[in-house]
């Protein structure tokens, strides 16, 4: 598991918005971390999960989005330009339309799904997971395609995840943050060797 490249300095959402579109960075507490280029398997998983979620959420107030959608995670009530944590999750679900604006999402999504890339996996497993927990994400799924496992973190109290549940990337798995919604993971096994 690797750590992503970092950019020297301290940054805010104001800086993030000024960077060229060809540069893909995320901010965690003011530090900039490079995003890994997605593999074919990564994109296939994101697309299939987005399709399933989109179908399951029809007629509900919840909306599913795929990256790149900037998710601003303020610590308090600071103005957007002063926010120091901004992620672009692979897939997210937001049920409170007040959090959605032209720039993306401000505040914790209800569900975040990240597909781990070897070069940034430790950042997702530690730094981003802790930031999602602190922000109040209700459910976080981390897909480890190389090992065929999903780590599922569910909110047990505001700002606190319960210990993770690990499930194999097969069968149907329910999202507790979205009652009645299940994801069929059987398609993932065929992608493990794709890379």
């Amino acid at each position: 598991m690797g750590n992503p490249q970092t950019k020297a300095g301290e940054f805010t959402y104001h800086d993030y918005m000024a960077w060229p579109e060809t540069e893909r960075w995320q901010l965690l507490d003011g530090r900039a971390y490079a995003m890994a280029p997605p593999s074919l398997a990564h994109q296939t998983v994101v697309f299939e999960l987005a399709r399933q979620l989109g179908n399951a959420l029809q007629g509900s107030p919840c909306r599913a989005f795929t990256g790149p959608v900037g998710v601003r995670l303020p610590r308090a009530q600071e103005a957007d330009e002063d926010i120091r944590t901004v992620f672009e999750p692979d897939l997210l679900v937001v049920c409170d339309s007040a959090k959605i604006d032209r720039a993306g999402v401000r505040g914790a999504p209800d569900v975040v799904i990240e597909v781990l890339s070897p070069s940034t996996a430790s950042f997702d497993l530690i730094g981003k997971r802790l930031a999602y927990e602190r922000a109040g994400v209700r459910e976080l799924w981390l897909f480890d395609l190389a090992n065929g496992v999903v780590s599922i973190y569910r909110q047990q109290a505001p700002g606190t995840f319960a210990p993770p549940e690990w499930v194999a990337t097969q069968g149907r798995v329910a999202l507790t943050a979205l009652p009645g919604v299940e994801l069929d993971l059987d398609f993932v096994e065929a992608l493990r060797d794709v890379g």
Side-chain angles (χ1 to χ4, degrees), residues 33-53:
Y33 296 86
M35 295 181 67
S39 67
L40 178 62
H42 178 285
Q43 291 302 89
T44 302
V45 169
V46 171
F47 178 82
E48 175 58 23
L49 295 175
R51 185 192 65 74
Q52 290 184 39
L53 279 171

Side-chain angles (χ1 to χ4, degrees), residues 112-135:
V112 171
I113 297 175
E114 298 277 12
V115 179
L116 303 179
S117 297
S119 64
T120 59
S122 60
F123 176 63
D124 288 342
L125 288 166
I126 300 168
K128 286 177 76 173
R129 176 184 53 82
L130 292 171
Y132 286 137
E133 180 177 31
R134 175 181 73 209

Side-chain angles (χ1 to χ4, degrees), residues 1 99 135:
M1 275 190 276
K99 293 181 178 181

Side-chain angles (χ1 to χ4, degrees), residues 141 147-152 154 165-170 173 185:
W141 289 35
N147 294 304
V149 174
V150 183
S151 303
I152 302 174
R154 294 184 173 106
E165 174 186 356
W166 291 284
V167 299
T169 52
Q170 59 191 21
V173 182
L185 305 183

Side-chain angles (χ1 to χ4, degrees), residues 6-13 15-16 19 26-33 73 75 82-87 134:
T6 59
K7 183 182 282 219
E10 290 282 319
F11 304 98
T12 64
Y13 182 66
D15 302 305
Y16 167 91
W19 291 328
Q26 297 183 91
L27 296 178
L28 173 59
D29 297 329
R31 295 209 47 200
Y33 296 86
L73 299 175
R75 283 284 192 139
D82 297 326
I83 292 174
R84 295 168 41 88
T85 298
V86 183
F87 296 143
R134 175 181 73 209

